[in-house]
Amino acid sequence: MEVTEGTITVEVPEQPESGVGDDVFFNPRQELNRDITAAVLDVWRDRTGAQTYLDATAASGIRGVRAAASGWDATCCDHDERAVERCRENFARNELGGTAVHRDANAYMHESRFDVVDLDPFGTPIPFADSAFRSARELVCVTATDTAPLCGAHFESGVRSYSAVPHNTDFHPEMGLRVLLSALARTAARYDVGVTPVLSHVTRHYVRTYLELDHRATDANAAIDELGYVDHCEDCLYRTTSQGLIADPFDACPNCASARISTAGPLWLGPAHDADFVTAVRERVTEAFDTATRARRLLDTIATEIDTPTHYDQHRLSKQWSVSAIGMDEFLDRLEHAGFDASRAHYGGTTFKTDANVAQIERATVRT
Ligand SMILES: C[S@@+](CC[C@H](N)C(=O)[O-])C[C@H]1O[C@@H](n2cnc3c(N)ncnc32)[C@H](O)[C@@H]1O
Ligand SMILES: [Zn+2]
């Protein structure tokens, strides 16, 4: 079947359900992810003059073809011969130059350098992370679709893949993102590469992040300094963070004295986006994108989202305190009026972020 995204049309196999079956993979549900990538690449090239883009696990090549259509010197790599053939055909049918490579992505990245490397594999990207940080000069784009291991719902798998302890908390999207960022920062640091996340977004199905690279040992040290732990009480929902690689877990919750307090980490505790970059990406979302409205809404929320490494859900807290939920604008106003930072979180609905702790949120928002 033909699929049009942005200004290109590619041929992908007919699939009974997105991503199911053993033909060359295509998932229509990732269109928002791909549209945002197209906007990111435009901004990145404007800022740095970057030219070369590797779609390391390309399948139909739709990402590489879209990059080529906007002027990148694009390469699509896949270890499946049928996928590589699709990539070749898809470059040709759009009358675009572009290289299709039949190789194992790790082998290829170990011997080739690109300004931007994009990892969009099945499940965890970690098997490709070492070679991506060796190959990329400026930017690494990463999708992880193994959200259950990342957020601690599949605990052992998360520990194995990410060399971190995830916990299945109320803030599971944020947990997943920060487990992934931690593992990527530690991997990059092995090659004296420091990472700075310039944009990250999370849905139920995937985590997507864009990491700017700096190639000095001191940059790698700075990234490692962003790692630490989150302690979380399962009873009162209190949580707190501690910086560093040595965990110092609580025996009991400092807020309610419960012993049901768990420690997750090492997690990335630093910013997961750069607001100026996100705003610039939002400006490059065009009407040619089918997801333009959603993409702009998402990027607007991320641009204003504060940097705390966990988020809350007003409905969950209201239930906890046996009070009625109120409108989100009013709720956030009350927090700000009490002197705290507060913003919506891009996880939607009643999710929000604040630098207030759970007791402070209750005092600031619950009127008695
Ligand atoms: C999730 S699909 C890529 C989807 C595509 N980026 C898109 O947006 O539609 C993952 C692809 O990675 C390829 N792949 C898996 N392991 C690989 C490896 N070691 N080297 C190269 N390609 C690999 C698979 O053949 C598959 O085509
Ligand atoms: Zn507690």
Side-chain angles (χ1 to χ4, degrees):
M1 65 180 185
E2 286 188 345
V3 170
T4 299
E5 285 188 9
T7 58
I8 58 103
T9 299
V10 292
E11 181 76 26
V12 301
E14 199 86 47
Q15 313 213 356
E17 263 179 69
S18 41
V20 176
D22 55 7
D23 211 335
V24 174
F25 180 91
F26 178 74
N27 185 350
R29 281 197 309 212
Q30 293 277 8
E31 185 171 3
L32 176 75
N33 177 334
R34 288 187 289 266
D35 281 348
I36 289 176
T37 303
V40 165
L41 291 179
D42 283 347
V43 173
W44 194 264
R45 196 189 33 216
D46 287 355
R47 291 192 169 187
T48 72
Q51 293 177 339
T52 54
Y53 168 84
L54 173 66
D55 183 356
T57 50
S60 67
I62 189 164
R63 288 173 189 271
V65 173
R66 291 188 66 172
S70 69
W72 287 81
D73 173 358
T75 301
C76 289
C77 172
D78 206 288
H79 67 173
D80 178 344
E81 210 166 350
R82 294 164 310 162
V84 180
E85 195 46 42
R86 285 274 175 198
C87 295
R88 252 182 226 121
E89 284 165 13
N90 284 328
F91 277 127
R93 69 170 296 153
N94 289 281
E95 296 176 359
L96 293 165
T99 310
V101 178
H102 181 212
R103 286 293 299 279
D104 175 84
N106 280 319
Y108 188 59
M109 287 189 282
H110 269 286
E111 65 195 29
S112 319
R113 299 283 167 270
F114 295 88
D115 295 330
V116 178
V117 169
D118 198 332
L119 298 181
D120 184 45
F122 297 126
T124 176
I126 291 300
F128 303 98
D130 283 85
S131 49
F133 289 119
R134 289 171 67 92
S135 178
R137 294 188 193 94
E138 299 183 7
L139 184 74
V140 169
C141 324
V142 181
T143 308
T145 55
D146 57 333
T147 51
L150 275 169
C151 73
H154 294 169
F155 179 78
E156 286 89 356
S157 171
V159 172
R160 283 198 309 276
S161 290
Y162 296 99
S163 303
V165 175
H167 275 302
N168 199 1
T169 58
D170 275 7
F171 47 94
H172 48 87
E174 200 81 29
M175 177 67 68
L177 170 61
R178 285 161 191 286
V179 167
L180 175 67
L181 290 175
S182 163
L184 294 173
R186 284 179 281 123
T187 304
R190 287 203 285 275
Y191 306 101
D192 289 349
V193 173
V195 299
T196 304
V198 288
L199 170 60
S200 309
H201 56 104
V202 185
T203 69
R204 207 154 54 84
H205 303 289
Y206 65 87
V207 181
R208 177 74 167 165
T209 189
Y210 299 85
L211 304 173
E212 179 174 3
L213 310 184
D214 288 291
H215 294 266
R216 289 175 307 196
T218 47
D219 300 315
N221 291 343
I224 295 297
D225 285 344
E226 299 287 1
L227 303 180
Y229 292 83
V230 174
D231 296 276
H232 170 254
C233 174
E234 288 169 41
D235 285 323
C236 74
L237 308 180
Y238 172 89
R239 75 277 309 249
T240 188
T241 61
S242 56
Q243 214 86 19
L245 286 176
I246 300 173
D248 186 14
F250 289 98
D251 294 327
C253 171
N255 190 47
C256 75
S258 164
R260 297 199 327 134
I261 184 153
S262 61
T263 305
L267 306 179
W268 177 266
L269 300 181
H273 69 269
D274 169 333
D276 289 343
F277 185 80
V278 178
T279 303
V281 173
R282 191 236 186 257
E283 296 310 310
R284 297 306 286 260
V285 171
T286 76
E287 290 311 315
F289 298 170
D290 285 348
T291 71
T293 305
R294 276 168 62 212
R296 289 191 183 112
R297 199 183 319 124
L298 175 67
L299 293 164
D300 280 340
T301 309
I302 295 172
T304 57
E305 199 173 290
I306 64 173
D307 281 336
T308 59
T310 74
H311 65 272
Y312 298 89
D313 188 322
Q314 194 209 156
H315 277 168
R316 178 73 178 86
L317 291 173
S318 305
K319 207 166 141 208
Q320 181 88 5
W321 302 327
S322 304
V323 299
S324 303
I326 59 174
M328 276 308 283
D329 289 338
E330 170 68 15
F331 186 84
L332 297 175
D333 279 352
R334 287 183 186 180
L335 278 168
E336 282 173 352
H337 189 71
F340 300 107
D341 278 347
S343 72
R344 287 175 189 270
H346 73 275
Y347 311 116
T350 50
T351 61
F352 68 99
K353 290 187 159 195
T354 179
D355 57 353
N357 67 32
V358 76
Q360 291 167 326
I361 301 171
E362 184 175 13
R363 271 199 301 278
T365 63
V366 178
R367 300 274 152 87
T368 48

Coordinates of all heavy atoms in Angstrom, one line a residue, residues 235-287:
D235 N 2.2 4.9 49.6 CA 1.0 5.2 50.4 C 0.6 6.6 50.2 O -0.5 6.9 49.8 CB 1.2 4.8 51.8 CG 1.2 3.3 52.0 OD1 0.4 2.7 51.3 OD2 2.0 2.8 52.8
C236 N 1.5 7.6 50.5 CA 1.1 9.0 50.4 C 1.5 9.7 49.1 O 1.2 10.8 48.9 CB 1.6 9.8 51.6 SG 3.3 10.1 51.5
L237 N 2.2 9.0 48.3 CA 2.7 9.5 47.0 C 3.8 10.5 47.1 O 4.2 11.2 46.1 CB 1.6 10.0 46.1 CG 0.4 9.1 45.9 CD1 -0.7 9.8 45.1 CD2 0.8 7.8 45.3
Y238 N 4.4 10.7 48.3 CA 5.5 11.5 48.5 C 6.7 11.0 47.6 O 6.8 9.8 47.4 CB 6.0 11.5 50.0 CG 7.3 12.2 50.3 CD1 7.3 13.5 50.6 CD2 8.5 11.5 50.3 CE1 8.5 14.2 50.9 CE2 9.7 12.1 50.6 CZ 9.7 13.4 50.9 OH 10.9 14.0 51.2
R239 N 7.4 11.9 47.0 CA 8.7 11.5 46.4 C 9.7 12.6 46.5 O 9.4 13.8 46.7 CB 8.4 11.1 44.9 CG 8.2 12.2 43.9 CD 6.8 12.7 43.8 NE 5.7 11.8 43.7 CZ 4.9 11.7 42.5 NH1 5.3 12.4 41.5 NH2 3.9 11.0 42.5
T240 N 11.0 12.1 46.5 CA 12.1 13.1 46.5 C 13.2 12.5 45.7 O 13.3 11.3 45.4 CB 12.5 13.3 48.0 OG1 13.4 14.4 48.1 CG2 13.1 12.1 48.7
T241 N 14.2 13.4 45.4 CA 15.3 12.9 44.5 C 16.6 13.1 45.3 O 16.7 14.0 46.2 CB 15.4 13.8 43.2 OG1 15.6 15.1 43.6 CG2 14.2 13.6 42.4
S242 N 17.6 12.3 44.9 CA 19.0 12.5 45.4 C 20.0 12.3 44.3 O 19.9 11.4 43.5 CB 19.3 11.6 46.6 OG 19.1 10.2 46.2
Q243 N 20.9 13.3 44.2 CA 21.8 13.3 43.1 C 23.0 12.3 43.4 O 23.3 12.1 44.5 CB 22.4 14.7 43.0 CG 22.7 15.2 41.6 CD 21.5 15.7 40.8 OE1 20.5 16.1 41.5 NE2 21.5 15.8 39.5
G244 N 23.6 11.8 42.3 CA 24.8 10.9 42.5 C 24.5 9.5 42.2 O 23.4 9.1 42.0
L245 N 25.6 8.7 42.1 CA 25.5 7.3 41.7 C 25.4 6.4 42.9 O 25.2 5.2 42.7 CB 26.7 6.9 40.9 CG 26.7 7.5 39.4 CD1 27.9 7.2 38.7 CD2 25.4 7.0 38.7
I246 N 25.5 6.9 44.1 CA 25.3 6.0 45.3 C 24.0 6.2 45.9 O 23.6 7.4 46.4 CB 26.5 6.3 46.3 CG1 27.8 6.1 45.7 CG2 26.3 5.5 47.6 CD1 29.0 6.5 46.5
A247 N 23.2 5.2 46.0 CA 21.8 5.3 46.5 C 21.9 5.4 48.0 O 22.7 4.7 48.7 CB 21.0 4.1 46.0
D248 N 21.0 6.1 48.6 CA 20.9 6.2 50.1 C 19.4 6.1 50.4 O 18.8 7.1 50.8 CB 21.5 7.6 50.5 CG 21.6 7.7 52.0 OD1 21.4 6.7 52.7 OD2 21.7 8.8 52.5
P249 N 18.8 4.9 50.3 CA 17.4 4.8 50.4 C 16.8 5.1 51.8 O 17.5 4.9 52.8 CB 17.1 3.3 50.0 CG 18.4 2.7 49.9 CD 19.5 3.7 50.0
F250 N 15.6 5.5 51.9 CA 14.9 5.8 53.1 C 14.4 4.4 53.7 O 14.1 3.5 53.0 CB 13.7 6.6 52.9 CG 14.0 8.1 52.6 CD1 13.9 8.5 51.3 CD2 14.3 9.0 53.6 CE1 14.2 9.8 51.0 CE2 14.5 10.3 53.3 CZ 14.5 10.7 52.0
D251 N 14.4 4.3 55.0 CA 13.7 3.1 55.7 C 12.2 3.4 55.8 O 11.5 2.4 55.7 CB 14.3 2.9 57.1 CG 15.8 2.5 57.0 OD1 16.1 1.9 56.1 OD2 16.5 2.9 58.0
A252 N 11.9 4.6 55.9 CA 10.4 5.0 56.1 C 10.2 6.3 55.4 O 11.1 7.1 55.3 CB 10.1 5.0 57.5
C253 N 8.9 6.5 55.0 CA 8.6 7.7 54.3 C 8.7 8.9 55.2 O 8.1 8.9 56.3 CB 7.1 7.6 53.8 SG 6.5 9.2 53.1
P254 N 9.4 10.0 54.8 CA 9.6 11.1 55.7 C 8.2 11.9 55.9 O 8.1 12.7 56.8 CB 10.5 12.0 55.0 CG 11.1 11.2 53.9 CD 10.2 10.1 53.6
N255 N 7.3 11.6 55.0 CA 6.0 12.3 55.1 C 4.9 11.6 55.9 O 4.2 12.2 56.7 CB 5.4 12.5 53.7 CG 4.3 13.5 53.6 OD1 4.3 14.5 54.2 ND2 3.2 13.1 52.9
C256 N 4.8 10.2 55.7 CA 3.8 9.5 56.4 C 4.3 8.3 57.2 O 3.5 7.5 57.8 CB 2.7 9.0 55.4 SG 3.2 7.6 54.4
A257 N 5.6 8.1 57.2 CA 6.3 7.0 58.0 C 6.0 5.6 57.5 O 6.4 4.6 58.1 CB 5.9 7.1 59.5
S258 N 5.3 5.5 56.3 CA 5.1 4.2 55.7 C 6.5 3.5 55.3 O 7.4 4.2 54.9 CB 4.3 4.3 54.5 OG 4.3 3.1 53.7
A259 N 6.5 2.2 55.4 CA 7.7 1.5 55.0 C 7.6 1.2 53.5 O 8.6 0.6 52.9 CB 7.9 0.2 55.8
R260 N 6.5 1.5 52.9 CA 6.3 1.2 51.5 C 6.9 2.3 50.6 O 6.3 2.9 49.8 CB 4.8 0.9 51.1 CG 4.3 -0.3 51.9 CD 3.0 -0.8 51.4 NE 2.1 0.1 50.8 CZ 1.5 -0.1 49.6 NH1 1.8 -1.2 48.9 NH2 0.7 0.8 49.1
I261 N 8.2 2.5 50.8 CA 8.9 3.6 50.1 C 10.0 2.9 49.2 O 10.7 2.0 49.7 CB 9.5 4.7 51.0 CG1 10.1 5.8 50.2 CG2 10.4 4.1 52.0 CD1 10.1 7.1 50.8
S262 N 10.0 3.1 47.9 CA 10.9 2.4 47.0 C 11.8 3.4 46.4 O 11.5 4.6 46.2 CB 10.1 1.7 46.0 OG 9.4 2.6 45.2
T263 N 13.0 2.9 46.0 CA 14.0 3.8 45.4 C 14.3 3.3 43.9 O 14.5 2.1 43.7 CB 15.3 3.7 46.2 OG1 15.0 4.0 47.5 CG2 16.4 4.7 45.7
A264 N 14.2 4.2 43.0 CA 14.5 3.9 41.6 C 15.7 4.6 41.1 O 15.9 5.8 41.4 CB 13.3 4.2 40.7
G265 N 16.5 4.0 40.3 CA 17.6 4.7 39.7 C 18.8 3.7 39.3 O 18.7 2.5 39.5
P266 N 19.9 4.3 38.8 CA 20.1 5.7 38.6 C 19.2 6.2 37.4 O 19.1 5.5 36.4 CB 21.6 5.8 38.2 CG 22.0 4.5 37.8 CD 21.1 3.5 38.5
L267 N 18.6 7.3 37.6 CA 17.7 8.0 36.6 C 18.3 9.3 36.2 O 19.1 9.9 36.9 CB 16.3 8.3 37.2 CG 15.5 7.2 37.9 CD1 14.2 7.7 38.4 CD2 15.3 6.1 36.9
W268 N 18.0 9.7 35.0 CA 18.4 11.1 34.6 C 17.5 12.1 35.3 O 16.2 12.0 35.2 CB 18.1 11.2 33.1 CG 18.5 12.5 32.5 CD1 17.6 13.6 32.3 CD2 19.7 13.0 32.1 NE1 18.2 14.6 31.8 CE2 19.5 14.3 31.6 CE3 21.0 12.5 32.0 CZ2 20.6 15.1 31.1 CZ3 22.0 13.2 31.5 CH2 21.8 14.5 31.0
L269 N 18.1 12.9 36.1 CA 17.3 13.9 36.9 C 17.3 15.3 36.3 O 16.7 16.2 36.7 CB 17.8 14.0 38.3 CG 17.8 12.7 39.2 CD1 18.4 13.0 40.6 CD2 16.4 12.1 39.3
G270 N 18.1 15.5 35.2 CA 18.3 16.8 34.6 C 17.1 17.1 33.6 O 16.2 16.3 33.5
P271 N 17.2 18.2 33.0 CA 16.2 18.6 32.0 C 16.1 17.5 30.9 O 17.1 17.0 30.5 CB 16.6 19.9 31.4 CG 17.6 20.5 32.4 CD 18.2 19.3 33.1
A272 N 14.8 17.3 30.4 CA 14.6 16.3 29.3 C 14.3 17.1 28.0 O 14.1 16.5 27.0 CB 13.5 15.4 29.7
H273 N 14.3 18.4 28.1 CA 14.2 19.2 26.8 C 14.8 20.6 27.0 O 15.1 21.0 28.1 CB 12.7 19.3 26.5 CG 11.9 20.2 27.4 ND1 11.3 19.7 28.5 CD2 11.7 21.5 27.5 CE1 10.7 20.7 29.2 NE2 11.0 21.8 28.6
D274 N 14.9 21.3 25.9 CA 15.4 22.6 25.9 C 14.3 23.5 25.3 O 13.9 23.3 24.1 CB 16.7 22.7 25.0 CG 17.1 24.1 24.7 OD1 16.3 25.0 24.7 OD2 18.3 24.3 24.5
A275 N 13.7 24.4 26.1 CA 12.5 25.0 25.7 C 12.6 25.8 24.4 O 11.7 25.8 23.6 CB 12.0 26.0 26.8
D276 N 13.8 26.5 24.2 CA 14.0 27.2 23.0 C 14.0 26.3 21.8 O 13.4 26.6 20.7 CB 15.3 28.0 23.0 CG 15.3 29.1 24.0 OD1 14.2 29.5 24.4 OD2 16.4 29.6 24.4
F277 N 14.7 25.2 21.9 CA 14.7 24.2 20.8 C 13.3 23.7 20.5 O 12.9 23.6 19.3 CB 15.6 23.0 21.2 CG 15.8 22.1 20.0 CD1 16.7 22.4 19.0 CD2 15.1 20.9 20.0 CE1 16.9 21.5 18.0 CE2 15.3 20.0 19.0 CZ 16.2 20.3 17.9
V278 N 12.6 23.4 21.5 CA 11.2 22.8 21.3 C 10.3 23.9 20.6 O 9.6 23.5 19.7 CB 10.6 22.4 22.7 CG1 9.1 21.9 22.5 CG2 11.4 21.4 23.4
T279 N 10.5 25.1 21.0 CA 9.7 26.2 20.4 C 10.1 26.3 18.9 O 9.2 26.5 18.0 CB 9.9 27.5 21.1 OG1 9.6 27.3 22.5 CG2 9.0 28.6 20.6
A280 N 11.4 26.2 18.6 CA 11.8 26.3 17.2 C 11.3 25.1 16.4 O 10.9 25.3 15.3 CB 13.3 26.3 17.2
V281 N 11.2 23.9 17.0 CA 10.7 22.7 16.3 C 9.2 23.0 16.0 O 8.7 22.7 15.0 CB 10.9 21.5 17.2 CG1 10.2 20.3 16.5 CG2 12.4 21.2 17.3
R282 N 8.5 23.5 17.0 CA 7.1 23.8 16.8 C 6.8 24.7 15.6 O 5.9 24.5 14.9 CB 6.5 24.4 18.1 CG 5.0 24.5 18.2 CD 4.6 25.9 18.4 NE 3.2 26.0 18.5 CZ 2.3 26.4 17.6 NH1 2.7 26.7 16.4 NH2 1.0 26.5 17.8
E283 N 7.7 25.7 15.4 CA 7.6 26.6 14.3 C 7.8 25.9 13.0 O 7.4 26.4 11.9 CB 8.5 27.8 14.4 CG 8.3 28.7 15.7 CD 6.8 29.1 15.8 OE1 6.3 29.5 14.7 OE2 6.2 28.9 16.8
R284 N 8.5 24.7 13.0 CA 8.7 24.0 11.7 C 7.7 23.0 11.4 O 7.8 22.2 10.4 CB 10.1 23.4 11.7 CG 11.2 24.4 11.9 CD 11.2 25.5 10.8 NE 11.6 25.0 9.5 CZ 12.8 25.2 9.0 NH1 13.7 25.9 9.6 NH2 13.1 24.7 7.8
V285 N 6.7 22.8 12.3 CA 5.6 21.9 12.0 C 4.7 22.5 10.9 O 4.3 23.7 11.1 CB 4.7 21.6 13.2 CG1 3.5 20.8 12.9 CG2 5.6 20.9 14.3
T286 N 4.6 21.9 9.8 CA 3.8 22.5 8.6 C 2.5 21.8 8.4 O 2.3 20.7 8.9 CB 4.6 22.4 7.3 OG1 4.5 21.1 6.8 CG2 6.1 22.8 7.5
E287 N 1.6 22.4 7.6 CA 0.3 21.8 7.3 C 0.5 20.6 6.4 O -0.5 19.8 6.3 CB -0.6 22.8 6.6 CG -1.0 24.0 7.5 CD -1.6 23.5 8.8 OE1 -2.4 22.5 8.8 OE2 -1.3 24.0 9.9

